[in-house]
Amino acid sequence: MVKKISIYSKVNFTTLKNELFSTMEYLASEVVDDNLEDDVDWKFNKKGGVSPQIVSTLEKKIETQLNTVDTCSKILKVIFEKEGLSDNVVKAIETLTTKLDQIENYYANKPISELQKRYVTKTFSKGNPVTFMVASREDRINSRTKVLEKIFKIKPLITELENMKEEVILKGGYEIPESMMYD
């Protein structure tokens, strides 16, 4: 008789879980709200002067967080299916849900038709201000479109995780991990 092999037999779950829960700390620490700022640094030029340089825009920060939510939700589903509901899994589901809510709320009061170029003013050490564009209207609209598209793809997975969590809680936590289903 052929022995059934678990699809999880080749995965190092300790490493996967450590990475996931470390990433959850990152997501929880990076709040998406109206206080989010573009990262700008000073770049030295050939003449010894400096000029501002965009390191990361608001849009890039939001896209990065959303991509991270997407990856983490998939990993979390695998961990949940293998090991069942734990306090860390519950906390991770809540973190992912909160992050999606933050991103949706951030865009809720910013109609796409009203997006304009975004400028930032930085002051040189001598007190001279310089204003420059950090994001064009087209880049902002493009980023927002990508974010909304990604949210539509992630929401069902997050909802599925929440439903699985609620189902386990209603059953009294008697979920049988997949690892116990095989010899």
Side-chain angles (χ1 to χ4, degrees):
M1 183 182 280
V2 177
K3 183 177 180 182
K4 190 172 185 179
I5 298 173
S6 169
I7 60 173
Y8 305 112
S9 62
K10 303 284 186 203
V11 177
N12 183 339
F13 274 97
T14 303
T15 303
L16 193 61
K17 288 190 318 189
N18 289 342
E19 184 66 25
L20 176 72
F21 298 127
S22 170
T23 304
M24 288 298 110
E25 291 176 24
Y26 155 73
L27 286 173
S29 70
E30 296 291 322
V31 179
V32 177
D33 61 13
D34 289 332
N35 296 321
L36 195 62
E37 295 180 353
D38 298 296
D39 288 337
V40 178
D41 202 359
W42 298 101
K43 179 182 178 181
F44 292 97
N45 59 33
K46 292 179 182 179
K47 296 180 180 180
V50 293
S51 58
Q53 178 180 356
I54 304 162
V55 177
S56 184
T57 63
L58 305 175
E59 291 79 14
K60 186 68 174 170
K61 289 179 180 185
I62 293 170
E63 283 183 48
T64 300
Q65 289 186 42
L66 196 56
N67 289 335
T68 304
V69 167
D70 184 30
T71 302
C72 288
S73 61
K74 292 171 185 169
I75 293 169
L76 188 59
K77 183 176 180 194
V78 170
I79 290 172
F80 180 81
E81 287 173 348
K82 179 172 175 29
E83 299 184 350
L85 190 64
S86 68
D87 290 339
N88 285 336
V89 169
V90 170
K91 187 176 177 184
I93 292 170
E94 291 169 359
T95 300
L96 295 176
T97 303
T98 299
K99 183 56 62 183
L100 275 180
D101 289 344
Q102 284 177 3
I103 293 170
E104 286 182 310
N105 290 337
Y106 178 79
Y107 284 120
N109 297 322
K110 296 172 180 62
I112 203 164
S113 61
E114 294 178 13
L115 290 179
Q116 298 298 321
K117 297 175 186 172
R118 190 174 57 255
Y119 294 90
V120 170
T121 300
K122 290 290 181 179
T123 305
F124 285 98
S125 60
K126 294 181 181 178
N128 300 330
V130 60
T131 300
F132 58 99
M133 183 174 56
V134 293
S136 70
R137 182 173 193 249
E138 292 76 18
D139 288 343
R140 294 182 73 194
I141 291 170
N142 185 38
S143 175
R144 181 171 173 157
T145 304
K146 286 181 190 176
V147 165
L148 292 175
E149 185 178 301
K150 189 79 130 182
I151 286 174
F152 290 137
K153 290 180 181 177
I154 296 172
K155 271 287 197 186
L157 184 55
I158 298 296
T159 302
E160 182 181 348
L161 284 167
E162 289 175 326
N163 290 342
M164 289 167 60
K165 178 186 83 169
E166 293 302 317
E167 188 177 306
V168 169
I169 290 170
L170 289 174
K171 289 181 182 177
Y174 297 110
E175 178 82 9
I176 299 173
E178 183 169 341
S179 61
M180 296 177 70
M181 292 189 216
Y182 303 103
D183 289 70

